[in-house]
Amino acid sequence: MNSDKRHIVSLLVENEFGSLSRIAGLFSARGYNIHCLSVAPTSDDSISRMTLVTYCTDSKASQLMKQLDKLVDVINVKDLTDETHIEREMLLLKVKSNLKQRDELKRLADIFRARIIDVTDTTYTIELTGPTEKILSFIDSLGKIKIIEQVRSGALGISRGSGSLEIKK
Amino acid sequence: MKLSGSEIIIESLKQEGVEYIFGYPGGAVLHIYDALFAADKIKHVLVRHEQGATHAADGYARACNKPGVVLVTSGPGITNCVTGIATAHMDSIPMIVISGQVSRQYVGSDAFQEADATGITRPICKHNFLINDRESIAETFRKAFIIATTGRPGPVIIDIPKDLTDPNVKIHFEYKKNIKIRSYKVKTSESDEKIKQAAELICSAKKPMIYAGGGVILGKASNELTKLTKHLNFPITNTLMGLGAYPSSDKQFLGMLGMHGTYEANMAMHNCDVLLAVGARFDDRVTGDTSQFCPKAKIIHIDIDPSSISKIIEVDHSLIGDTKKILKKLLTYTNTSKNGINKDALDKWWKKINSWQKKKCLSYKKSNKVIKPQSVIETLHKITKGRSFVTSDVGQHQMWVAQYYKFDKPNRWINSGGLGTMGFGLPAAMGAQLAFPKEEVICVTGEASILMCIQELSTCLQYGLPIKVVTLNNRYMGMVRQWQEFFYEGRYAMSYMDAIPNFAQLAESFGHVGMVIDKPSNLEKDLSHALSLKNRCVFVDVITDETENVYPMIMSGKGHHEMHLAPSANEDIELA
């Protein structure tokens, strides 16, 4: 109850300028961290969907939900952590790959069902999608292969089953 | 009807029933001022500094429960409002601040008098808008008023670029009152089931206590609170923001609670078994050490803001919604409760409370040599029969008003409780006086606080506001000095106010009446005289004891039962 735990939060917000900074500002003003955050438009132009991950106690998380809900631009908010949900993250990784390493990299990519999406004489660029643990295991498995650049989308979350984050009436 | 952007703004304000705008003109709002010049019905009050405009609008809102409206220019106009907006935000006061912005083509170019108004004010307001097109002006104003005045109220800022107020571009105007904001929802009613459960819990109490805050005043629920409290015969305390929500002269009222609360209120909090918190937010100045807060109590919390529930103190039962409605239902359900109130236990509890009251924790050493600040407030109360509107700044004088001016009605006590803003009192008094031109408005202040917005004395003259300013002049930032005495071994670092102006002369140069009172024997006579000058603004400089401290006091990090009483009254502190 009193120890920090990973919380993944889904939000529907008005797609207006300032919405993102209201949410980011709330985190800094009230002393919460944002581990990762993703924002993108939805099929309704006026609404953006956000997923964010933060580490805090359950009671701080419940207070955070109320504070987020209080923001005028927030249409709906839900802590997905304790319900069955699906999480995905995307990784784009540029690594050094000399001739000797190429086979090994290809094999690793196959094992993790990653795709090599760009090749040069000296580098591979790899795309991988999956839950955060899978992304981290893949990066771990690279061993001594030199990572030149690493881009992660941050977690995206959606609840399992027929339920959805709705526009509350 | 075709109107320019500026005319739409004025028309929208009329539709909202606005009677006063507190403002200061400048480049980016000149079109709006031109439209205002032509408008009847709405009166403009020209302040002398934009901070004064926000505090005046705030004081107006606190006095009459209607939103205060501010109009300022871009850049320094809006940055000067920051303190006033934050003050209103912390105390949940409805306010609309309209700020001009540079024309759209210059936004982001570091233009003359450009500041990111929405960016700067975002963390200190309930909501803000930057208007982007003429067509949305009217709708934005309606939304702003809805947001500012419903749910837990608060300030809303509308930033509007100058080109959108161009008098030569006119568009169709229609003011739609019924608009929906899909992302804004306010829960106003609680389920009967939950209210019934609360009623049963209340009736089961052997040592009950009611703790009511500013939410009762904002929710216009004083009558309902009073009826319920009388019906139950429970003891009640008010927070600093809640004073007046329950009549202070009533025998069930135990005084204010918290850091400078009364012995009986704090002891009753510490020992109660059921606490009914109404429209209060468990502020740190109220709770003291949260781990020792009401250790034996089941807590019921009524509030309109869900995020107030269990924010500081975990509560056992929450009732979220309109305070007035919930209190009304609680009265019904406590009346029809299966078990009824435990009268024997309540009698015992009152006996205990009466024994705490015998401490007379607000007694102080009288003097015929120096004027005791407490006696100034007691005298004011006596002369005005407790009926005045009293505003204050922040510090010792604020606490003494809270302790010694017994407010019997809501909205009469106007002070910056949450943010603790020095400079608030005088402009807030202007707002209150404009809301109630025939009532007596007194600003109790200190010689340090008053200097932070003294320029508004000029506004008082322009609008003939007969405010009475009473300065408890102890030559120190008194509360700072008190903390330095207690916690810094008497090293009074920079808290001495050297080079204090001659306030009486200063007031006269502003066109008002200036007075000095420095003898206890003259206090009542001279204060009565000052208050008898009905049509004049009078500045009364009262020279008070510089060594006096505010008691009782709970040192930070301590519990309610660990109060320090005034040395003279401090023979033995009884622990629970």
Side-chain angles (χ1 to χ4, degrees):
Chain A
M1 183 73 188
N2 283 320
S3 58
D4 282 0
K5 162 177 150 188
R6 181 176 182 276
H7 287 267
I8 179 162
V9 178
S10 260
L11 294 125
L12 281 182
V13 302
E14 295 289 349
N15 181 16
E16 288 187 15
F17 47 60
S19 296
L20 177 60
S21 62
R22 279 181 221 284
I23 288 161
L26 188 150
F27 275 76
S28 60
R30 296 201 180 262
Y32 292 88
N33 63 72
I34 299 181
H35 180 70
C36 63
L37 168 68
S38 79
V39 194
T42 64
S43 50
D44 179 343
D45 286 348
S46 65
I47 296 177
S48 300
R49 172 85 178 226
M50 289 188 191
T51 309
L52 61 82
V53 173
T54 183
Y55 287 82
C56 60
T57 61
D58 283 343
S59 65
K60 279 201 93 177
S62 106
Q63 174 62 208
L64 175 64
M65 292 302 109
K66 293 182 207 167
Q67 293 292 348
L68 285 169
D69 202 27
K70 194 158 104 171
L71 292 176
V72 172
D73 281 342
V74 171
I75 300 168
N76 203 348
V77 55
K78 194 172 201 182
D79 189 345
L80 295 176
T81 314
D82 289 331
E83 64 177 79
T84 54
H85 67 279
I86 303 160
E87 277 183 44
R88 290 292 180 271
E89 183 173 345
M90 180 182 267
L91 167 74
L92 297 177
L93 197 66
K94 193 176 282 181
V95 292
K96 266 244 162 45
S97 76
N98 53 35
L99 282 173
K100 265 196 281 175
Q101 291 165 321
R102 293 207 158 192
D103 282 353
E104 169 69 3
L105 269 169
K106 181 75 177 78
R107 243 190 332 269
L108 276 173
D110 286 345
I111 292 167
F112 281 87
R113 287 185 208 145
R115 298 196 302 149
I116 295 163
I117 51 174
D118 192 35
V119 184
T120 70
D121 292 355
T122 53
T123 65
Y124 264 178
T125 302
I126 302 168
E127 171 197 320
L128 173 63
T129 308
T132 302
E133 311 87 77
K134 180 177 166 184
I135 306 277
L136 295 175
S137 318
F138 177 67
I139 295 170
D140 266 359
S141 71
L142 293 174
K144 285 184 181 152
I145 293 167
K146 187 169 167 36
I147 297 170
I148 299 166
E149 201 174 3
Q150 163 179 335
V151 188
R152 287 167 61 181
S153 65
L156 304 177
I158 194 165
S159 58
R160 275 197 188 274
S162 57
S164 68
L165 195 59
E166 285 165 345
I167 301 173
K168 279 196 230 164
K169 290 287 182 293
Chain B
M1 189 164 42
K2 286 206 148 192
L3 296 178
S4 71
S6 293
E7 289 165 336
I8 291 174
I9 293 172
I10 303 303
E11 236 1 88
S12 303
L13 294 175
K14 275 190 200 162
Q15 296 275 347
E16 294 292 344
V18 172
E19 46 174 353
Y20 287 106
I21 295 177
F22 301 88
Y24 204 103
V29 285
L30 283 179
H31 293 326
I32 306 175
Y33 267 87
D34 200 46
L36 186 59
F37 193 67
D40 48 357
K41 287 188 183 156
I42 300 183
K43 287 164 255 172
H44 181 270
V45 178
L46 176 68
V47 294
R48 298 302 187 262
H49 185 295
E50 288 89 348
Q51 183 182 351
T54 49
H55 292 329
D58 183 326
Y60 171 86
R62 290 181 203 236
C64 68
N65 269 343
K66 286 191 272 188
V69 178
V70 174
L71 174 58
V72 293
T73 194
S74 62
I78 185 65
T79 58
N80 275 345
C81 288
V82 165
T83 300
I85 295 168
T87 303
H89 186 51
M90 284 290 268
D91 291 341
S92 311
I93 304 304
M95 185 192 284
I96 304 287
V97 179
I98 306 157
S99 59
Q101 182 52 276
V102 298
S103 291
R104 282 174 298 173
Q105 77 252 39
Y106 300 121
V107 168
S109 70
D110 300 324
F112 177 65
Q113 291 196 328
E114 183 184 358
D116 176 9
T118 47
I120 290 167
T121 57
R122 196 167 289 133
I124 52 161
C125 65
K126 186 168 176 189
H127 196 59
N128 60 21
F129 296 95
L130 170 56
I131 300 187
N132 234 342
D133 57 276
R134 235 172 290 269
E135 286 66 29
S136 64
I137 297 175
E139 192 188 330
T140 304
F141 269 75
R142 181 69 195 123
K143 281 185 182 172
F145 274 88
I146 292 174
I147 293 168
T149 56
T150 56
R152 179 174 178 176
V156 177
I157 292 91
I158 305 171
D159 198 32
I160 181 158
K162 185 174 184 180
D163 59 310
L164 296 179
T165 61
D166 184 342
N168 299 313
V169 187
K170 305 212 173 197
I171 59 162
H172 173 71
F173 169 76
E174 192 192 348
Y175 203 69
K176 292 190 190 121
K177 278 261 169 168
N178 285 323
I179 58 166
K180 281 203 92 172
I181 310 168
R182 67 173 167 192
S183 59
Y184 178 71
K185 51 238 162 229
V186 177
K187 183 177 178 243
T188 53
S189 58
E190 184 54 276
S191 76
D192 282 9
E193 201 42 50
K194 282 197 80 176
I195 302 177
K196 272 180 199 161
Q197 286 164 5
E200 291 305 327
L201 187 52
I202 287 169
C203 290
S204 75
K206 293 192 172 102
K207 298 172 177 180
M209 180 69 172
I210 299 175
Y211 144 61
V216 176
I217 295 171
L218 292 164
K220 299 175 193 160
S222 295
N223 279 337
E224 287 72 15
L225 175 72
T226 308
K227 269 186 204 157
L228 178 69
T229 308
K230 297 247 181 197
H231 164 68
L232 296 168
N233 190 29
F234 282 5
I236 180 169
T237 178
N238 281 162
T239 67
L240 179 65
M241 295 308 300
L243 291 172
Y246 187 87
S248 301
S249 55
D250 187 80
K251 62 180 190 336
Q252 282 167 251
F253 185 67
L254 305 189
M256 182 173 75
L257 83 165
M259 183 173 273
H260 293 298
T262 65
Y263 185 69
E264 49 271 33
N266 286 335
M267 290 303 278
M269 289 293 287
H270 188 76
N271 290 287
C272 69
D273 67 349
V274 171
L275 179 72
L276 176 62
V278 192
R281 61 184 179 87
F282 300 83
D283 174 81
D284 56 281
R285 288 294 193 265
V286 159
T287 60
D289 177 11
T290 50
S291 69
Q292 298 190 68
F293 179 80
C294 294
K296 300 156 198 163
K298 291 258 184 223
I299 302 176
I300 304 163
H301 188 187
I302 306 174
D303 209 289
I304 192 136
D305 177 6
S307 73
S308 272
I309 308 292
S310 295
K311 184 175 78 170
I312 310 287
I313 301 287
E314 201 68 40
V315 302
D316 301 278
H317 195 80
S318 65
L319 300 173
I320 300 168
D322 182 75
T323 315
K324 194 183 179 86
K325 284 190 203 160
I326 294 174
L327 286 171
K328 220 179 234 173
K329 286 193 175 169
L330 264 185
L331 179 61
T332 312
Y333 295 141
T334 48
N335 238 330
T336 56
S337 149
K338 298 188 287 268
N339 304 317
I341 303 158
N342 187 336
K343 287 221 169 69
D344 292 342
L346 195 55
D347 280 349
K348 263 197 200 154
W349 177 229
W350 269 114
K351 281 202 182 102
K352 189 78 197 156
I353 290 169
N354 293 336
S355 76
W356 291 322
Q357 284 172 319
K358 286 198 185 109
K359 279 261 178 240
K360 302 231 175 283
C361 68
L362 291 180
S363 59
Y364 58 94
K365 269 189 196 149
K366 305 275 187 316
S367 165
N368 51 15
K369 292 199 181 69
V370 285
I371 299 178
K372 288 286 178 179
Q374 300 93 324
S375 71
V376 180
I377 311 300
E378 283 186 324
T379 308
L380 272 178
H381 183 265
K382 185 177 160 199
I383 299 169
T384 60
K385 302 187 176 68
R387 288 182 194 144
S388 300
F389 284 81
V390 182
T391 72
S392 86
D393 280 297
V394 169
Q396 288 184 319
H397 68 269
Q398 178 190 26
M399 291 300 111
W400 284 318
V401 178
Q403 293 175 331
Y404 295 95
Y405 197 97
K406 311 285 182 192
F407 292 92
D408 278 339
K409 284 186 181 165
N411 305 88
R412 302 266 155 158
W413 166 228
I414 294 171
N415 82 125
S416 166
L419 197 68
T421 305
M422 291 167 73
F424 175 81
L426 176 59
M430 302 187 324
Q433 187 75 80
L434 285 160
F436 293 97
K438 293 194 177 127
E439 300 280 336
E440 195 155 53
V441 179
I442 302 171
C443 166
V444 176
T445 179
E447 82 291 336
S449 283
I450 190 65
L451 283 171
M452 287 209 184
C453 272
I454 190 93
Q455 76 284 346
E456 299 307 332
L457 282 176
S458 178
T459 312
C460 293
L461 185 71
Q462 184 163 350
Y463 298 94
L465 304 175
I467 294 162
K468 307 296 180 281
V469 180
V470 177
T471 301
L472 305 185
N473 184 344
N474 60 1
R475 283 79 64 205
Y476 277 97
M477 291 161 216
M479 193 56 94
V480 173
R481 190 203 55 71
Q482 177 169 341
W483 281 55
Q484 288 170 334
E485 180 186 327
F486 290 173
F487 308 121
Y488 298 89
E489 296 165 339
R491 291 186 299 279
Y492 299 130
M494 293 55 156
S495 57
Y496 184 68
M497 297 292 290
D498 210 348
I500 298 170
N502 181 326
F503 284 115
Q505 281 180 9
L506 183 67
E508 284 181 6
S509 78
F510 273 107
H512 304 309
V513 179
M515 287 170 65
V516 182
I517 308 179
D518 54 6
K519 289 191 187 62
S521 53
N522 293 343
L523 183 63
E524 186 167 349
K525 174 170 63 78
D526 288 356
L527 271 182
S528 298
H529 174 63
L531 290 163
S532 72
L533 303 172
K534 292 290 175 206
N535 300 317
R536 296 294 301 274
C537 172
V538 185
F539 195 114
V540 191
D541 186 13
V542 187
I543 311 300
T544 58
D545 183 356
E546 64 184 36
T547 62
E548 193 61 59
N549 290 324
V550 180
Y551 289 107
M553 180 169 179
I554 301 173
M555 305 298 172
S556 25
K558 298 287 184 181
H560 278 153
H561 58 302
E562 299 170 294
M563 265 161 294
H564 284 254
L565 300 185
S568 56
N570 197 9
E571 294 100 13
D572 55 322
I573 292 189
E574 177 193 359
L575 293 181

